[in-house]
Amino acid sequence: MKVTQYSTNKYGESVPYELRKALYMGGVSKAIPSREPSENDFLGFGVAITGASCYNLSKMEKTERRALIEDLYGKKDGGFSVARLTMGASDYSAELYTYDDVEGDVALEHFSIERDEEYIIPMIKEILDVNPDLYIFASPWTPPAWMKTGNSTCGGHMRAQFVDCYADYFVKYIKAYGEHGIRIRAVTPQNEPETQQFGYMPACIWNPDTEVAFVSALRKRLRENDLDDVEIWLNDHSFSYVNRVDWQLATYPELKGESGGVAFHYYEGDFAQTEFLIDKYGVRLHYTESGPRLYDHYDNDWCKWGIMLCRALNFRYHSFTGWNLMLDETGGPNIGHFFCGGLVTRNRLSGELSYSGQYKAFKHFLKYVKRDSKISPICFDRDCYWMTNYPKDTKPLTATLVENSDGSAALMLVNPNPEKAQVQYYRGGEWWYIELLPDTLATVTFEK
């Protein structure tokens, strides 16, 4: 058995590191699988190709842009296999719009994706040219203003009387993108349906009953239009809203057959709160949003994202999608009130690219986690971690085991602490002693 350890160091470089066997090591943490491996159904990792991301990509010189897309989506060393699109404007867009801003147009005669055709769709098509198998899902930040209380794209509540009309709106969007060769594989009814963000950005609150009625109406329209293979994912909001989803699925048993997936963000709560939905309802869980902070450990928080990726895998998430692919050095274009950073930052004046800690964590994991991988969670403890407070409050030693169809395996470990960590792992009839350098992502590979 060939065994090798690689560590991502403070420079974001993957380097080999000594690994040796140990019969006994006193005071060393033991990494122990906490259950049997999951099924081979992991979709993969990705980020959101937002309007702001596409705007910044479009400003790049074509050959330089192609090189970046190859780096992120090329399959040679493992690339992104999932992507999130925004239906109309989000807070990270260059302009504020929906696909039908004509008051009272219930027939959707003025529906148009023309604004997306300027630079959003061309950038998506360039990405698909590199990875045509990309699994794309889409989320709206707001319905047209006239479908909401307050008649504004920024804030308000969805009005139940427009549920059927809005289902038609989704079908038109899916078909319009399909005409450009962009297949939408899944949708969420609303990004973050429990908040209106104080009217600072595109947002909309949805009553849980209204969301269920919409899912039912949309599923009917999808079937009528030979689009029944499009999935619908509930919630698309923080872990802390898991009780909302539990109530919906328990109250409306038919909902599981109409949706089948639930999406979560990390802004409140933790992965551990949501895993019960898999066993209770048979749904798949998807992680659909979080990105680096522009002014808070932007380029060196790889351990934060390593922990997030491990925990998503450990708690049986079906996919993991970060936030903006690319923003500029100010976190823009941005019509909202948050200061997120992009996976990659492009300076508007110099054109120079810089890379986030999230990028470095993704690149580390993408080498080893494939769509046919089985995941065995590694248990040090199973407490909840609110990663929004990282690195102030949370510095857990974290790990997961990835087993591939060729018999190889990769033990992914994260040590976010300023001190070296020592770990034992039992495999192949032997205990292996692993030293984890401070502030490090490490991978131990086992090959036949």
Side-chain angles (χ1 to χ4, degrees):
M1 178 186 292
K2 181 182 178 182
V3 185
T4 310
Q5 179 181 349
Y6 297 92
S7 297
T8 295
N9 61 18
K10 65 181 180 179
Y11 304 108
E13 302 168 336
S14 184
V15 296
Y17 190 68
E18 181 184 2
L19 179 72
R20 60 185 184 271
K21 289 186 289 186
L23 296 176
Y24 174 75
M25 296 296 298
V28 179
S29 299
K30 290 186 177 181
I32 304 170
S34 59
R35 61 166 167 76
E36 292 299 313
S38 63
E39 295 298 322
N40 296 3
D41 64 353
F42 182 66
L43 269 181
F45 302 118
V47 289
I49 309 173
T50 58
S53 297
C54 291
Y55 178 83
N56 284 296
L57 285 169
S58 72
K59 298 300 180 182
M60 297 178 70
E61 193 273 328
K62 190 170 183 178
T63 57
E64 182 187 23
R65 181 171 65 241
R66 178 72 179 203
L68 176 64
I69 292 173
E70 290 277 3
D71 176 52
L72 294 176
Y73 295 93
K75 297 182 180 181
K76 182 179 178 181
D77 296 318
F80 288 142
S81 55
V82 179
R84 186 188 193 197
L85 305 184
T86 65
M87 293 175 60
S90 72
D91 46 330
Y92 284 88
S93 294
E95 50 188 330
L96 181 60
Y97 67 99
T98 73
Y99 299 126
D100 193 335
D101 291 319
V102 177
E103 178 78 26
D105 182 22
V106 293
L108 300 177
E109 294 177 351
H110 299 278
F111 179 96
S112 173
I113 62 166
E114 182 178 356
R115 295 195 193 189
D116 289 6
E117 292 170 342
E118 181 180 353
Y119 54 84
I120 294 175
I121 287 174
M123 294 301 99
I124 296 168
K125 292 174 77 170
E126 287 192 23
I127 291 170
L128 287 173
D129 187 51
V130 171
N131 184 358
D133 298 324
L134 195 64
Y135 187 101
I136 297 176
F137 68 99
S139 308
W141 265 241
T142 178
W146 49 271
M147 294 187 186
K148 304 162 62 181
T149 61
N151 198 33
S152 171
T153 53
C154 298
H157 294 64
M158 179 65 185
R159 299 173 67 189
Q161 71 190 78
F162 292 110
V163 159
D164 289 334
C165 178
Y166 199 37
D168 292 332
Y169 179 99
F170 269 61
V171 170
K172 282 182 172 290
Y173 166 80
I174 294 167
K175 286 185 172 182
Y177 262 65
E179 290 173 0
H180 284 279
I182 301 170
R183 182 184 176 190
I184 305 299
R185 304 287 296 274
V187 294
T188 69
Q190 170 65 44
N191 174 72
E192 300 184 349
E194 290 277 359
T195 181
Q196 58 178 341
Q197 295 295 351
F198 311 103
Y200 290 133
M201 56 175 268
C204 181
I205 293 177
W206 282 66
N207 179 282
D209 291 309
T210 305
E211 183 184 15
V212 172
F214 173 74
V215 170
S216 180
L218 179 56
R219 177 54 63 200
K220 179 181 177 182
R221 298 298 197 284
L222 292 172
R223 288 176 181 143
E224 292 170 348
N225 287 273
D226 296 322
L227 295 169
D228 201 29
D229 59 343
V230 177
E231 295 189 4
I232 307 171
W233 301 345
L234 300 169
N235 191 55
D236 209 7
H237 207 165
S238 296
F239 300 123
S240 56
Y241 294 108
V242 66
N243 290 338
R244 170 191 170 108
V245 179
D246 187 19
W247 179 86
Q248 288 173 313
L249 290 167
T251 305
Y252 300 96
E254 70 279 7
L255 185 58
K256 177 186 173 297
E258 295 171 337
S259 59
V262 186
F264 288 101
H265 304 174
Y266 91 129
Y267 305 111
E268 294 179 0
D270 177 67
F271 294 99
Q273 296 172 256
T274 64
E275 188 182 28
F276 79 93
L277 293 174
I278 300 173
D279 298 321
K280 187 173 180 180
Y281 300 108
V283 296
R284 287 176 169 175
L285 305 183
H286 300 271
Y287 185 84
T288 52
E289 185 183 303
S290 64
R293 298 173 182 139
L294 187 59
Y295 304 116
D296 181 12
H297 301 275
Y298 171 76
D299 60 352
N300 62 6
D301 62 351
W302 49 78
C303 283
K304 170 183 176 177
W305 298 108
I307 293 169
M308 294 281 288
L309 294 172
C310 278
R311 290 184 72 75
L313 295 171
N314 284 350
F315 289 105
R316 295 186 280 171
Y317 270 64
H318 192 54
S319 66
F320 188 108
T321 307
W323 195 200
N324 297 277
L325 188 161
M326 176 183 280
L327 297 176
D328 66 27
E329 77 282 4
T330 68
N334 180 354
I335 56 176
H337 60 300
F338 296 110
F339 289 98
C340 294
L343 180 80
V344 179
T345 295
R346 181 179 185 271
N347 186 282
R348 291 173 295 171
L349 298 179
S350 67
E352 180 182 1
L353 301 182
S354 54
Y355 298 85
S356 65
Q358 187 186 60
Y359 166 90
K360 295 162 189 173
F362 270 132
K363 294 294 284 185
H364 191 96
F365 275 71
L366 283 166
K367 296 176 186 177
Y368 308 102
V369 185
K370 311 300 180 185
R371 279 190 175 177
D372 67 347
S373 298
K374 290 184 178 181
I375 309 299
S376 293
I378 300 299
C379 182
F380 292 106
D381 58 68
R382 292 177 68 85
D383 292 337
C384 287
Y385 303 125
W386 282 43
M387 294 302 295
T388 48
N389 293 326
Y390 186 94
K392 296 177 182 177
D393 298 341
T394 304
K395 293 202 172 182
L397 197 63
T398 309
T400 194
L401 178 69
V402 179
E403 299 186 78
N404 296 309
S405 57
D406 62 2
S408 65
L411 179 63
M412 318 295 293
L413 302 112
V414 186
N415 177 25
N417 297 290
E419 302 84 21
K420 179 177 71 174
Q422 299 170 303
V423 174
Q424 284 188 104
Y425 179 70
Y426 187 79
R427 186 178 180 86
E430 298 175 307
W431 282 101
W432 293 89
Y433 167 68
I434 305 162
E435 287 190 352
L436 303 178
L437 298 177
D439 192 25
T440 298
L441 308 181
T443 304
V444 178
T445 61
F446 299 86
E447 301 176 14
K448 278 191 170 183

